[in-house]
Coordinates of all heavy atoms in Angstrom, one line a residue:
L241 N 0.9 -1.2 -0.1 CA 0.0 0.0 0.0 C 0.9 1.3 -0.1 O 1.7 1.4 0.9 CB -0.9 0.0 1.2 CG -1.7 1.2 1.5 CD1 -2.7 1.5 0.4 CD2 -2.4 1.2 2.9
K242 N 0.7 2.1 -1.0 CA 1.5 3.3 -1.0 C 0.4 4.5 -1.2 O -0.2 4.7 -2.1 CB 2.4 3.3 -2.2 CG 3.4 2.3 -2.1 CD 4.4 2.5 -0.9 CE 5.4 1.4 -0.8 NZ 5.9 1.1 0.4
L243 N 0.5 5.3 -0.2 CA -0.3 6.6 -0.2 C 0.6 7.7 -0.3 O 1.6 7.8 0.4 CB -1.1 6.7 1.1 CG -2.0 5.6 1.5 CD1 -2.6 5.9 2.8 CD2 -3.0 5.4 0.6
I244 N 0.4 8.6 -1.3 CA 1.2 9.7 -1.6 C 0.6 11.0 -1.2 O -0.6 11.2 -1.6 CB 1.6 9.7 -3.1 CG1 2.1 8.4 -3.5 CG2 2.6 10.9 -3.3 CD1 3.4 7.9 -2.8
F245 N 1.2 11.8 -0.4 CA 0.7 13.1 -0.1 C 1.6 14.1 -0.5 O 2.7 14.1 0.0 CB 0.4 13.0 1.5 CG -0.2 14.3 2.0 CD1 -1.6 14.4 2.0 CD2 0.5 15.2 2.7 CE1 -2.3 15.5 2.5 CE2 -0.1 16.3 3.2 CZ -1.6 16.4 3.1
S246 N 1.1 14.9 -1.4 CA 2.0 16.0 -1.9 C 1.7 17.4 -1.1 O 0.5 17.8 -1.2 CB 1.8 16.2 -3.4 OG 2.6 17.3 -3.8
T247 N 2.7 17.9 -0.4 CA 2.4 19.2 0.2 C 3.5 20.1 0.0 O 4.7 19.8 -0.4 CB 2.4 18.9 1.8 OG1 2.5 20.0 2.5 CG2 3.6 18.1 2.3
T248 N 3.2 21.4 0.0 CA 4.2 22.4 -0.5 C 5.3 22.6 0.5 O 6.4 23.1 0.1 CB 3.4 23.8 -0.7 OG1 2.7 24.1 0.5 CG2 2.3 23.7 -1.8
T249 N 5.1 22.2 1.7 CA 6.0 22.6 2.8 C 6.8 21.2 3.2 O 7.8 21.3 3.9 CB 5.5 23.1 4.0 OG1 4.5 22.2 4.5 CG2 4.8 24.6 3.6
G250 N 6.3 20.1 2.8 CA 6.8 18.8 3.2 C 6.5 18.6 4.7 O 7.0 17.6 5.3
E251 N 5.6 19.3 5.3 CA 5.2 18.9 6.7 C 3.9 18.1 6.7 O 3.1 18.1 5.7 CB 4.9 20.3 7.4 CG 6.0 21.1 7.5 CD 5.7 22.6 8.2 OE1 4.5 22.7 8.6 OE2 6.4 23.4 8.3
C252 N 3.9 17.3 7.7 CA 2.8 16.3 7.8 C 2.6 15.9 9.2 O 3.5 15.6 10.0 CB 3.1 15.0 7.0 SG 1.8 13.7 7.0
N253 N 1.3 15.9 9.6 CA 1.1 15.6 11.0 C 0.9 14.0 11.0 O 0.0 13.5 10.4 CB -0.3 16.1 11.5 CG -0.7 15.8 12.9 OD1 0.0 15.0 13.5 ND2 -1.6 16.5 13.5
Q254 N 1.8 13.3 11.7 CA 1.9 11.9 11.7 C 1.1 11.2 12.9 O 1.1 10.1 13.0 CB 3.4 11.4 11.6 CG 4.1 11.9 10.4 CD 5.5 11.5 10.4 OE1 5.9 10.4 10.9 NE2 6.4 12.3 9.8
E255 N 0.6 12.0 13.7 CA -0.1 11.6 14.9 C -1.4 10.9 14.4 O -2.0 11.2 13.5 CB -0.3 12.7 15.8 CG 0.9 13.3 16.4 CD 0.6 14.5 17.4 OE1 -0.5 14.7 17.7 OE2 1.6 15.1 17.6
G256 N -1.9 10.0 15.3 CA -3.1 9.4 15.0 C -3.2 8.3 13.9 O -4.3 7.9 13.5
T257 N -2.0 7.8 13.5 CA -2.0 6.8 12.5 C -1.0 5.7 12.8 O 0.0 5.9 13.5 CB -1.6 7.2 11.1 OG1 -1.7 6.1 10.1 CG2 -0.2 7.9 11.0
A258 N -1.4 4.4 12.6 CA -0.5 3.4 12.8 C 0.3 3.1 11.7 O 1.3 2.1 11.6 CB -1.3 2.1 13.2
L259 N 0.1 3.8 10.5 CA 0.8 3.6 9.3 C 2.2 4.1 9.4 O 2.5 5.1 10.2 CB 0.1 4.3 8.1 CG -1.2 3.7 7.8 CD1 -1.9 4.6 6.7 CD2 -1.2 2.2 7.4
N260 N 3.2 3.5 8.6 CA 4.6 3.9 8.7 C 4.6 5.1 7.7 O 4.6 4.9 6.5 CB 5.5 2.8 8.3 CG 6.9 3.2 8.4 OD1 7.3 4.3 8.6 ND2 7.8 2.1 8.4
V261 N 4.9 6.3 8.2 CA 4.9 7.6 7.4 C 6.4 8.1 7.3 O 7.0 8.1 8.3 CB 4.0 8.6 8.1 CG1 4.1 9.9 7.3 CG2 2.6 8.1 8.2
Q262 N 6.8 8.5 6.1 CA 8.0 9.2 5.9 C 7.8 10.4 5.1 O 7.1 10.5 4.1 CB 9.0 8.3 5.3 CG 10.4 8.9 5.0 CD 11.0 9.4 6.4 OE1 11.1 8.6 7.4 NE2 11.6 10.5 6.3
V263 N 8.4 11.6 5.5 CA 8.3 12.9 4.8 C 9.6 13.0 4.0 O 10.7 12.9 4.6 CB 8.1 14.0 5.8 CG1 8.0 15.4 5.1 CG2 6.8 13.8 6.6
F264 N 9.5 13.4 2.7 CA 10.7 13.8 1.9 C 10.6 15.2 1.4 O 9.6 15.5 0.9 CB 10.7 12.8 0.7 CG 10.7 11.2 1.1 CD1 9.6 10.5 1.1 CD2 12.0 10.7 1.5 CE1 9.6 9.2 1.5 CE2 12.0 9.4 1.8 CZ 10.8 8.6 1.8
H265 N 11.6 15.9 1.7 CA 11.6 17.3 1.1 C 13.0 17.9 1.0 O 14.0 17.3 1.5 CB 10.8 18.2 2.2 CG 11.4 18.1 3.6 ND1 12.5 19.0 3.9 CD2 11.1 17.3 4.7 CE1 12.9 18.7 5.1 NE2 12.0 17.7 5.6
G266 N 13.0 18.9 0.2 CA 14.3 19.7 0.0 C 15.5 18.9 -0.4 O 15.4 17.9 -1.2
N267 N 16.7 19.2 0.2 CA 17.9 18.8 -0.3 C 18.3 17.4 0.3 O 19.2 16.6 -0.2 CB 19.1 19.7 0.2 CG 19.0 21.0 -0.4 OD1 18.5 21.1 -1.5 ND2 19.5 22.1 0.2
M268 N 17.5 16.9 1.2 CA 17.8 15.5 1.8 C 17.6 14.5 0.8 O 18.3 13.4 0.9 CB 16.7 15.2 3.0 CG 15.3 15.0 2.5 SD 14.2 14.7 3.8 CE 14.4 13.0 4.2
C269 N 17.0 14.7 -0.3 CA 16.8 13.6 -1.3 C 17.6 13.8 -2.7 O 17.6 13.0 -3.5 CB 15.3 13.5 -1.6 SG 14.3 13.4 -0.2
D270 N 18.2 15.0 -2.8 CA 18.8 15.4 -4.1 C 19.9 14.5 -4.5 O 20.2 14.3 -5.7 CB 19.3 16.9 -4.0 CG 18.2 17.8 -4.1 OD1 17.0 17.5 -4.2 OD2 18.4 19.0 -3.7
I271 N 20.6 13.9 -3.6 CA 21.8 13.0 -4.0 C 21.5 11.5 -3.9 O 22.4 10.7 -4.0 CB 23.0 13.5 -3.1 CG1 22.7 13.2 -1.7 CG2 23.4 14.9 -3.4 CD1 24.0 13.4 -0.8
W272 N 20.3 11.2 -3.5 CA 20.0 9.7 -3.4 C 19.9 9.1 -4.8 O 19.4 9.6 -5.8 CB 18.6 9.5 -2.8 CG 18.6 9.8 -1.3 CD1 19.7 10.4 -0.6 CD2 17.5 9.8 -0.3 NE1 19.3 10.6 0.7 CE2 18.0 10.3 0.9 CE3 16.2 9.4 -0.5 CZ2 17.1 10.3 2.0 CZ3 15.4 9.5 0.5 CH2 15.8 9.8 1.8
N273 N 20.4 7.8 -4.9 CA 20.4 7.1 -6.1 C 19.1 6.1 -6.1 O 18.3 6.1 -5.2 CB 21.6 6.2 -6.3 CG 21.8 5.2 -5.2 OD1 20.9 4.8 -4.5 ND2 23.1 4.8 -5.0
K274 N 18.9 5.4 -7.2 CA 17.7 4.5 -7.3 C 17.6 3.5 -6.2 O 16.5 3.2 -5.6 CB 17.7 3.8 -8.6 CG 16.5 3.1 -8.9 CD 16.5 2.6 -10.4 CE 15.1 1.8 -10.5 NZ 14.7 1.7 -11.9
D275 N 18.7 2.9 -5.7 CA 18.7 1.9 -4.7 C 18.3 2.5 -3.3 O 17.5 1.9 -2.6 CB 20.2 1.3 -4.5 CG 20.6 0.4 -5.7 OD1 19.6 -0.1 -6.4 OD2 21.7 0.2 -5.8
K276 N 18.7 3.6 -3.1 CA 18.3 4.4 -1.8 C 16.8 4.6 -1.9 O 16.1 4.4 -0.9 CB 19.1 5.6 -1.6 CG 18.6 6.6 -0.5 CD 18.8 5.9 0.9 CE 18.5 6.8 2.0 NZ 18.4 6.2 3.3
W277 N 16.3 5.2 -3.0 CA 14.9 5.4 -3.1 C 14.1 4.1 -3.1 O 13.0 4.1 -2.4 CB 14.6 6.1 -4.5 CG 14.7 7.7 -4.4 CD1 15.7 8.3 -5.0 CD2 14.0 8.6 -3.6 NE1 15.6 9.7 -4.6 CE2 14.5 9.7 -3.7 CE3 12.9 8.4 -2.8 CZ2 13.9 10.9 -3.1 CZ3 12.3 9.4 -2.1 CH2 12.8 10.7 -2.3
E278 N 14.4 3.1 -3.7 CA 13.8 1.9 -3.6 C 13.6 1.3 -2.2 O 12.6 0.9 -1.8 CB 14.4 0.8 -4.5 CG 14.1 1.0 -6.0 CD 14.8 0.0 -6.9 OE1 15.6 -0.8 -6.3 OE2 14.6 0.1 -8.1
N279 N 14.7 1.5 -1.4 CA 14.6 1.1 0.1 C 13.7 1.9 0.7 O 12.9 1.4 1.6 CB 16.1 1.1 0.5 CG 16.2 0.7 1.9 OD1 15.8 -0.5 2.2 ND2 16.7 1.5 2.9
E280 N 13.7 3.2 0.6 CA 12.8 4.1 1.4 C 11.4 3.8 1.0 O 10.5 3.8 1.8 CB 13.2 5.6 1.0 CG 14.4 6.0 1.5 CD 14.5 6.1 3.1 OE1 13.5 6.6 3.6 OE2 15.5 5.6 3.7
I281 N 11.1 3.6 -0.3 CA 9.7 3.3 -0.8 C 9.3 2.0 -0.1 O 8.2 1.8 0.3 CB 9.7 3.3 -2.3 CG1 9.8 4.8 -2.8 CG2 8.4 2.7 -2.8 CD1 10.1 4.9 -4.2
L282 N 10.1 1.0 -0.1 CA 9.7 -0.3 0.5 C 9.5 -0.3 2.0 O 8.7 -1.0 2.6 CB 10.7 -1.4 0.2 CG 10.8 -1.9 -1.2 CD1 12.2 -2.7 -1.4 CD2 9.6 -2.6 -1.6
L283 N 10.2 0.6 2.7 CA 10.1 0.7 4.2 C 8.9 1.4 4.7 O 8.5 1.2 5.9 CB 11.3 1.5 4.7 CG 12.7 0.7 4.7 CD1 13.9 1.6 5.1 CD2 12.6 -0.5 5.6
H284 N 8.2 2.2 3.8 CA 7.2 3.1 4.4 C 5.9 2.9 3.6 O 5.8 2.5 2.4 CB 7.6 4.6 4.3 CG 8.8 4.8 5.0 ND1 10.1 4.9 4.3 CD2 9.2 5.0 6.2 CE1 11.1 5.1 5.2 NE2 10.5 5.2 6.3
E285 N 4.8 3.0 4.4 CA 3.4 2.8 3.8 C 2.9 4.2 3.2 O 2.1 4.2 2.3 CB 2.5 2.3 4.8 CG 2.9 0.9 5.3 CD 2.2 0.5 6.6 OE1 2.3 1.2 7.6 OE2 1.4 -0.5 6.5
V286 N 3.2 5.3 3.9 CA 2.7 6.6 3.5 C 4.0 7.4 3.2 O 4.9 7.6 4.0 CB 1.8 7.3 4.5 CG1 1.4 8.7 4.1 CG2 0.6 6.4 4.9
L287 N 4.0 7.9 1.9 CA 5.1 8.8 1.5 C 4.6 10.3 1.3 O 3.6 10.5 0.6 CB 5.7 8.3 0.2 CG 6.0 6.8 0.1 CD1 6.4 6.3 -1.2 CD2 7.0 6.4 1.1
V288 N 5.3 11.2 1.9 CA 4.9 12.6 1.8 C 6.1 13.3 1.2 O 7.1 13.4 1.6 CB 4.6 13.2 3.3 CG1 4.2 14.6 3.1 CG2 3.6 12.4 4.0
F289 N 5.7 13.8 0.0 CA 6.6 14.5 -0.9 C 6.3 16.1 -1.1 O 5.0 16.3 -1.1 CB 6.7 14.0 -2.2 CG 7.1 12.6 -2.3 CD1 6.1 11.7 -2.6 CD2 8.4 12.2 -2.1 CE1 6.6 10.3 -2.7 CE2 8.8 10.9 -2.2 CZ 7.9 9.9 -2.6
T290 N 7.2 16.8 -1.2 CA 7.0 18.2 -1.8 C 6.7 17.9 -3.3 O 7.3 16.9 -3.8 CB 8.0 19.2 -1.5 OG1 9.3 18.7 -2.1 CG2 8.2 19.5 -0.2
P291 N 6.1 18.8 -4.0 CA 5.9 18.5 -5.5 C 7.1 18.3 -6.3 O 7.2 17.6 -7.1 CB 5.1 19.8 -5.9 CG 4.2 20.3 -4.7 CD 5.3 19.9 -3.5
Q292 N 8.1 19.2 -5.8 CA 9.4 19.1 -6.6 C 10.1 17.7 -6.4 O 10.7 17.1 -7.3 CB 10.3 20.2 -6.2 CG 11.5 20.4 -7.1 CD 11.2 20.6 -8.6 OE1 10.3 21.6 -8.8 NE2 11.6 19.8 -9.5
V293 N 10.2 17.2 -5.2 CA 10.7 16.0 -4.9 C 10.0 14.9 -5.6 O 10.6 14.0 -6.3 CB 10.8 15.7 -3.4 CG1 11.3 14.2 -3.1 CG2 11.7 16.6 -2.7
L294 N 8.7 14.9 -5.6 CA 7.9 13.9 -6.4 C 8.2 13.9 -7.9 O 8.4 12.9 -8.6 CB 6.4 14.0 -6.1 CG 5.5 13.0 -6.8 CD1 5.8 11.5 -6.5 CD2 4.1 13.3 -6.5
L295 N 8.2 15.1 -8.4 CA 8.5 15.3 -9.8 C 10.0 14.8 -10.2 O 10.2 14.1 -11.1 CB 8.4 16.8 -10.1 CG 8.8 17.1 -11.6 CD1 7.8 16.5 -12.6 CD2 8.8 18.7 -11.9
N296 N 11.0 15.1 -9.3 CA 12.3 14.7 -9.6 C 12.4 13.1 -9.6 O 13.1 12.6 -10.5 CB 13.2 15.2 -8.4 CG 13.5 16.7 -8.6 OD1 13.1 17.4 -9.6 ND2 14.1 17.4 -7.6
I297 N 11.8 12.5 -8.6 CA 11.9 11.0 -8.6 C 11.2 10.4 -9.7 O 11.6 9.3 -10.2 CB 11.6 10.3 -7.3 CG1 10.1 10.5 -6.9 CG2 12.5 10.9 -6.2 CD1 9.7 9.8 -5.7
L298 N 10.1 11.0 -10.3 CA 9.4 10.4 -11.4 C 10.2 10.6 -12.7 O 10.3 9.7 -13.5 CB 8.0 11.1 -11.5 CG 6.9 10.8 -10.5 CD1 5.8 11.6 -10.6 CD2 6.6 9.3 -10.6
I299 N 10.9 11.8 -12.8 CA 11.6 12.1 -14.0 C 12.8 11.2 -14.0 O 13.2 10.7 -15.1 CB 12.1 13.6 -14.0 CG1 10.9 14.5 -14.3 CG2 13.2 13.9 -14.9 CD1 11.1 16.0 -14.1
H300 N 13.5 11.0 -12.9 CA 14.7 10.1 -12.9 C 14.3 8.6 -13.0 O 15.3 7.7 -13.0 CB 15.5 10.3 -11.6 CG 16.3 11.7 -11.7 ND1 15.7 12.8 -11.3 CD2 17.5 11.9 -12.3 CE1 16.6 13.8 -11.5 NE2 17.7 13.4 -12.1
G301 N 13.0 8.3 -12.9 CA 12.6 6.8 -12.9 C 12.8 6.1 -11.7 O 12.9 4.8 -11.6
Y302 N 13.0 6.8 -10.6 CA 13.1 6.1 -9.2 C 11.8 5.7 -8.7 O 11.8 5.0 -7.7 CB 13.8 7.2 -8.3 CG 15.1 7.5 -8.6 CD1 15.7 8.7 -8.1 CD2 16.0 6.8 -9.5 CE1 17.0 9.1 -8.4 CE2 17.2 7.3 -9.9 CZ 17.7 8.4 -9.4 OH 19.0 8.9 -9.6
F303 N 10.7 6.2 -9.2 CA 9.4 5.9 -8.7 C 8.4 5.8 -9.9 O 8.6 6.7 -10.8 CB 8.9 6.8 -7.7 CG 7.7 6.5 -6.9 CD1 7.7 5.6 -6.0 CD2 6.5 7.2 -7.2 CE1 6.6 5.2 -5.2 CE2 5.4 6.8 -6.5 CZ 5.4 5.9 -5.5
C304 N 7.5 4.9 -10.0 CA 6.5 4.7 -11.0 C 5.1 5.3 -10.5 O 4.7 4.9 -9.4 CB 6.5 3.4 -11.6 SG 8.0 2.9 -12.3
V305 N 4.3 5.8 -11.3 CA 3.0 6.4 -11.1 C 2.2 5.2 -10.8 O 1.3 5.3 -9.8 CB 2.5 7.2 -12.2 CG1 1.0 7.6 -11.9 CG2 3.3 8.5 -12.4
E306 N 2.4 4.0 -11.4 CA 1.6 2.8 -11.1 C 1.7 2.4 -9.7 O 0.8 1.6 -9.3 CB 2.1 1.7 -12.1 CG 1.8 2.0 -13.5 CD 2.8 2.9 -14.2 OE1 3.9 3.2 -13.7 OE2 2.5 3.4 -15.3
F307 N 2.7 2.7 -8.9 CA 2.7 2.4 -7.6 C 1.9 3.1 -6.6 O 1.7 2.7 -5.5 CB 4.2 2.5 -7.0 CG 5.2 1.6 -7.7 CD1 6.5 2.0 -8.0 CD2 4.8 0.3 -8.2 CE1 7.5 1.2 -8.5 CE2 5.8 -0.5 -8.7 CZ 7.1 -0.1 -9.0
I308 N 1.3 4.2 -7.1 CA 0.5 5.1 -6.3 C -0.9 4.5 -6.1 O -1.6 4.4 -7.2 CB 0.5 6.5 -6.8 CG1 2.0 7.1 -6.9 CG2 -0.5 7.4 -6.0 CD1 2.0 8.4 -7.5
K309 N -1.4 4.4 -4.9 CA -2.8 4.0 -4.7 C -3.7 5.1 -4.5 O -4.9 5.0 -4.8 CB -2.8 2.9 -3.5 CG -2.0 1.7 -3.7 CD -2.4 0.9 -4.9 CE -1.6 -0.3 -5.1 NZ -1.5 -0.9 -6.3
L310 N -3.2 6.1 -3.8 CA -3.9 7.3 -3.5 C -3.0 8.5 -3.5 O -1.9 8.4 -2.9 CB -4.6 7.2 -2.2 CG -5.3 8.5 -1.6 CD1 -6.5 8.7 -2.5 CD2 -5.7 8.2 -0.1
L311 N -3.3 9.5 -4.2 CA -2.5 10.7 -4.4 C -3.3 11.9 -3.8 O -4.4 12.2 -4.4 CB -2.1 11.0 -5.7 CG -1.3 12.2 -6.1 CD1 0.1 12.2 -5.2 CD2 -0.9 12.2 -7.5
I312 N -2.8 12.6 -2.8 CA -3.5 13.7 -2.2 C -2.7 15.0 -2.4 O -1.5 15.0 -2.1 CB -3.7 13.5 -0.7 CG1 -4.6 12.3 -0.5 CG2 -4.4 14.8 -0.1 CD1 -4.6 11.8 1.0
F313 N -3.2 16.0 -3.0 CA -2.5 17.3 -3.2 C -3.0 18.3 -2.2 O -4.2 18.6 -2.1 CB -2.8 17.8 -4.5 CG -2.2 17.1 -5.7 CD1 -3.0 16.1 -6.4 CD2 -0.9 17.2 -6.1 CE1 -2.5 15.4 -7.4 CE2 -0.3 16.6 -7.1 CZ -1.1 15.6 -7.8
D314 N -2.2 18.7 -1.3 CA -2.4 19.8 -0.3 C -2.2 21.1 -0.9 O -1.4 21.3 -1.7 CB -1.5 19.6 0.9 CG -1.8 20.5 2.0 OD1 -3.0 20.8 2.2 OD2 -1.0 20.7 2.9
E315 N -3.1 22.1 -0.5 CA -2.9 23.5 -1.0 C -3.1 23.6 -2.5 O -2.7 24.5 -3.0 CB -1.5 24.0 -0.6 CG -1.2 23.9 1.0 CD -2.0 25.0 1.7 OE1 -2.4 26.0 1.2 OE2 -2.2 24.7 2.9
C316 N -3.9 22.7 -3.1 CA -4.2 22.8 -4.5 C -5.0 24.0 -4.8 O -5.0 24.5 -6.0 CB -4.8 21.5 -5.1 SG -6.3 21.3 -4.4
H317 N -5.7 24.6 -3.9 CA -6.5 25.8 -4.2 C -5.5 27.0 -4.6 O -5.9 27.9 -5.4 CB -7.3 26.3 -3.0 CG -6.5 26.7 -1.9 ND1 -6.0 25.8 -0.9 CD2 -6.0 27.8 -1.3 CE1 -5.3 26.3 0.1 NE2 -5.3 27.7 -0.2
H318 N -4.2 26.9 -4.4 CA -3.3 27.9 -4.9 C -3.0 27.8 -6.3 O -2.3 28.8 -6.8 CB -1.9 27.8 -4.0 CG -2.2 28.2 -2.7 ND1 -2.4 29.5 -2.3 CD2 -2.0 27.6 -1.5 CE1 -2.4 29.6 -0.9 NE2 -2.3 28.4 -0.4
C319 N -3.4 26.7 -7.1 CA -3.3 26.7 -8.5 C -4.1 27.6 -9.2 O -3.8 27.9 -10.4 CB -3.6 25.2 -8.9 SG -2.5 24.0 -8.2
D320 N -5.1 28.2 -8.6 CA -6.0 29.1 -9.2 C -5.7 30.5 -8.8 O -5.6 30.7 -7.6 CB -7.4 28.7 -8.8 CG -8.5 29.6 -9.4 OD1 -8.1 30.4 -10.3 OD2 -9.7 29.4 -9.1
N321 N -5.6 31.4 -9.7 CA -5.2 32.8 -9.4 C -6.2 33.5 -8.6 O -6.0 34.6 -7.9 CB -4.9 33.6 -10.6 CG -3.6 33.1 -11.3 OD1 -2.7 32.6 -10.7 ND2 -3.5 33.3 -12.6
D322 N -7.4 33.0 -8.5 CA -8.5 33.6 -7.9 C -8.7 33.1 -6.4 O -9.8 33.3 -5.8 CB -9.8 33.5 -8.6 CG -9.9 34.1 -9.9 OD1 -9.2 35.3 -10.0 OD2 -10.4 33.7 -10.9
H323 N -7.7 32.4 -5.8 CA -7.9 31.9 -4.6 C -8.0 32.9 -3.5 O -8.4 32.7 -2.4 CB -6.8 30.8 -4.3 CG -5.4 31.4 -4.0 ND1 -4.7 31.8 -5.1 CD2 -4.9 31.7 -2.9 CE1 -3.6 32.2 -4.6 NE2 -3.7 32.2 -3.3

């Protein structure tokens, strides 16, 4: 089970869940290779990415869209100029 939560800040409240949650943001992931990403993805049930980190791992082929069971976009109301 892979739940993907995309947040602009990389912050996530992990309280109240028994699921294994990991937050990925900023420079912490910029130098990881495919093996490191595969290990991180296997270890966690819920993955929280900033949009840029998710985009980067998709572009580099470290993660496939087919693995996503649920994708949640936080702050998506900011995509509209009239927000």
